[in-house]
Amino acid sequence: MGALKCFTSSHLVLVFVVGTWVLQRAESKTYWGDIEALKQLRNGVDPNSVSPGSCLSSWDFSVDPCDSLFSERFTCGFRCDLTVSGSGLSRVTEVTLDSAGYAGSLSSASWNLPYLQTFDLSNNFFSGSIPGSLANLTRLTRLGLSRNTFTGEIPSAIGSLSSLEELYLDNNNLQGPIPASFNGLVSLKRLEVQSNQLSGELPELGSLKNLYFLDASNNAISGYLPTTLPPSLIQISMRNNTVQGTIPQSLQYLSSLQVLDLSHNKLTDSVPYFLFTHPSLQQLTLAFNAFTSVQSPSNLGTQSELIAVDLSNNELQGWLPPFLPLMPKLSALSLENNKLSGIIPAQYALKTVVPGPGIAPFARLLLGGNYLFGPIPRALLVLKPDTANVSLADNCFFRCPLRFFFCQGADQKSLTACKTLSPVIP
């Protein structure tokens, strides 16, 4: 009897606590492991960065997260959905924090959220390294870490997220190469890693059959462009890197490509002809490279879809390419600051002033900073400043009066400077 009394008095509190804990779990609408993962995320945030009215300020774990979505607690920042397992428990399927200036680290969390599909912390001040444990989020379709202050290398483990469709790592301080494991992101549609300090070569991404948008601009990526790129690409932006070599022939087989920006690199040799016969390319930006010539397409570009072409600030020599004004949709052309010489073909002026039926006029024609000479085409002399943006400044025209707006901006070169590249000038 004494033993029974002893058991009753000493274990009553323990039994009550355990029973209450079990009851709470039984009544909870949120799976307990998901609650723990949310707590880990919240604990990794600097409390001083959580401002009143922000999403995280409402995360009060004294209540059930998924059962409090329409109360004053857990007002935003995540989403819950019932699973099909029949347990009746809600699982966290989305964590999207507001841009409230949160600071903190992700390294202390285990990221055991197996049903999470969207994880977005963009436009905050999270720092430290990106943990490889994010690979635990096997159902993830969107990962957004843009515009924070993450450092270190991109973990190669992210390449195992075979369901990932959108990856945003841009505008951080990430270093090192883009992992070769990214070729395993077979569902990826959009990849943004621009504005970091990434280096090394762009890896082969030929397995990404769904990738349509790639932006790796404003980094320190070097080496050569991959010989194989996903045929689904619509836009490639790799401006402001140190990519060298030539434009690979494989680009002509990217039948959906509309935008190609490889400006501010170290590309050399010729601008290939197939860019002017591409079936879908609309915007071509190759400025600030070291191209020396432009290849002429056999059909003179008369079937080109190009709307804007920027070949400025290269080393282009010879005469102005005669086929460019024959491209029916081209309305913006910049050939500024090259070493082009000779006279301006009449087609350039006519396309600007009287392009003809079904032909887009030049709304922008920038030819300044070259070694062009001869008479200014008569058609340009009647051009009004509000009709087109035209520049012929800093060339070798004997007469380019400043009363013409297209002569303004810089004086013509000296005769001595002009004869160095255009010896035919008397």
Side-chain angles (χ1 to χ4, degrees):
M1 184 69 176
L4 179 59
K5 287 182 178 179
C6 180
F7 172 82
T8 302
S9 59
S10 63
H11 292 79
L12 181 59
V13 175
L14 177 60
V15 171
F16 174 77
V17 172
V18 173
T20 303
W21 179 77
V22 172
L23 182 61
Q24 287 177 339
R25 285 202 170 181
E27 294 177 349
S28 175
K29 292 190 175 181
T30 310
Y31 181 69
W32 68 271
D34 291 7
I35 297 176
E36 292 301 313
L38 293 178
K39 285 181 179 179
Q40 291 174 357
L41 171 60
R42 178 65 175 83
N43 291 337
V45 177
D46 182 356
N48 295 323
S49 69
V50 181
S51 58
S54 64
C55 286
L56 285 184
S57 68
S58 71
W59 286 23
D60 180 355
F61 289 97
S62 66
V63 299
D64 188 321
C66 295
D67 196 30
S68 306
L69 294 178
F70 300 102
S71 69
E72 295 181 355
R73 291 172 286 190
F74 288 103
T75 56
C76 57
F78 71 105
R79 170 179 172 163
C80 298
D81 287 294
L82 286 172
T83 63
V84 296
S85 62
S87 64
L89 292 176
S90 294
R91 304 302 299 261
V92 176
T93 58
E94 177 178 347
V95 173
T96 301
L97 296 186
D98 47 337
S99 304
Y102 302 120
S105 170
L106 305 183
S107 58
S108 61
S110 62
W111 303 111
N112 186 20
L113 290 168
Y115 286 86
L116 195 68
Q117 298 174 14
T118 299
F119 184 45
D120 197 334
L121 307 179
S122 299
N123 298 292
N124 282 291
F125 295 98
F126 287 96
S127 58
S129 60
I130 298 175
S133 54
L134 288 178
N136 294 337
L137 306 175
T138 55
R139 285 184 171 88
L140 204 62
T141 60
R142 176 188 173 97
L143 176 58
L145 303 178
S146 303
R147 299 187 182 277
N148 281 280
T149 57
F150 289 110
T151 56
E153 296 190 0
I154 301 173
S156 60
I158 290 181
S160 66
L161 295 173
S162 58
S163 297
L164 196 64
E165 297 179 0
E166 300 174 73
L167 178 56
Y168 303 94
L169 302 177
D170 56 283
N171 291 277
N172 282 284
N173 296 312
L174 298 171
Q175 300 176 339
I178 299 174
S181 63
F182 275 20
N183 205 29
L185 298 173
V186 293
S187 300
L188 198 64
K189 297 179 179 179
R190 191 176 184 100
L191 174 59
E192 298 198 27
V193 293
Q194 69 270 21
S195 300
N196 281 286
Q197 301 171 31
L198 300 173
S199 57
E201 294 189 9
L202 185 71
E204 291 286 345
L205 301 173
S207 297
L208 310 187
K209 305 300 183 183
N210 300 302
L211 187 69
Y212 70 87
F213 187 96
L214 169 62
D215 194 343
S217 302
N218 303 318
N219 281 289
I221 296 172
S222 58
Y224 300 90
L225 291 172
T227 56
T228 304
L229 286 167
S232 53
L233 277 167
I234 294 176
Q235 177 166 337
I236 302 174
S237 297
M238 289 193 64
R239 64 184 175 275
N240 197 22
N241 282 284
T242 56
V243 178
Q244 58 184 336
T246 60
I247 295 178
Q249 293 276 335
S250 57
L251 283 183
Q252 65 183 307
Y253 304 116
L254 305 184
S255 58
S256 300
L257 189 65
Q258 296 180 11
V259 177
L260 178 62
D261 187 349
L262 301 176
S263 58
H264 293 268
N265 278 286
K266 296 182 178 181
L267 297 169
T268 57
D269 203 7
S270 298
V271 179
Y273 71 91
F274 57 77
L275 295 178
F276 304 105
T277 59
H278 195 281
S280 60
L281 190 61
Q282 299 178 13
Q283 180 177 324
L284 175 63
T285 307
L286 300 177
F288 290 93
N289 279 284
F291 293 108
T292 56
S293 62
V294 179
Q295 295 180 359
S296 177
S298 58
N299 65 359
L300 301 180
T302 54
Q303 297 178 354
S304 173
E305 294 292 315
L306 278 166
I307 297 172
V309 173
D310 187 352
L311 303 179
S312 63
N313 295 279
N314 278 280
E315 301 291 331
L316 299 178
Q317 300 184 28
W319 289 33
L320 291 173
F323 69 90
L324 288 174
L326 303 180
M327 297 164 64
K329 297 183 179 181
L330 187 64
S331 62
L333 174 63
S334 178
L335 295 171
E336 286 186 308
N337 302 320
N338 281 285
K339 297 179 180 180
L340 297 166
S341 59
I343 63 173
I344 299 178
Q347 298 97 313
Y348 279 77
L350 292 175
K351 183 176 173 64
T352 306
V353 182
V354 284
I359 304 297
F362 275 138
R364 182 187 303 123
L365 179 61
L366 306 180
L367 303 178
N370 282 287
Y371 293 82
L372 304 174
F373 59 86
I376 297 173
R378 184 177 299 273
L380 291 181
L381 300 180
V382 300
L383 198 62
K384 303 298 181 183
D386 56 348
T387 57
N389 179 12
V390 178
S391 175
L392 303 181
D394 190 23
N395 274 288
C396 295
F397 296 109
F398 179 70
R399 292 192 61 190
C400 195
L402 294 181
R403 68 175 181 271
F404 296 114
F405 74 94
F406 45 78
C407 294
Q408 301 170 7
D411 295 334
Q412 297 295 303
K413 289 181 172 67
S414 68
L415 183 61
T416 302
C418 290
K419 284 188 174 181
T420 60
L421 205 68
S422 299
V424 298
I425 296 179

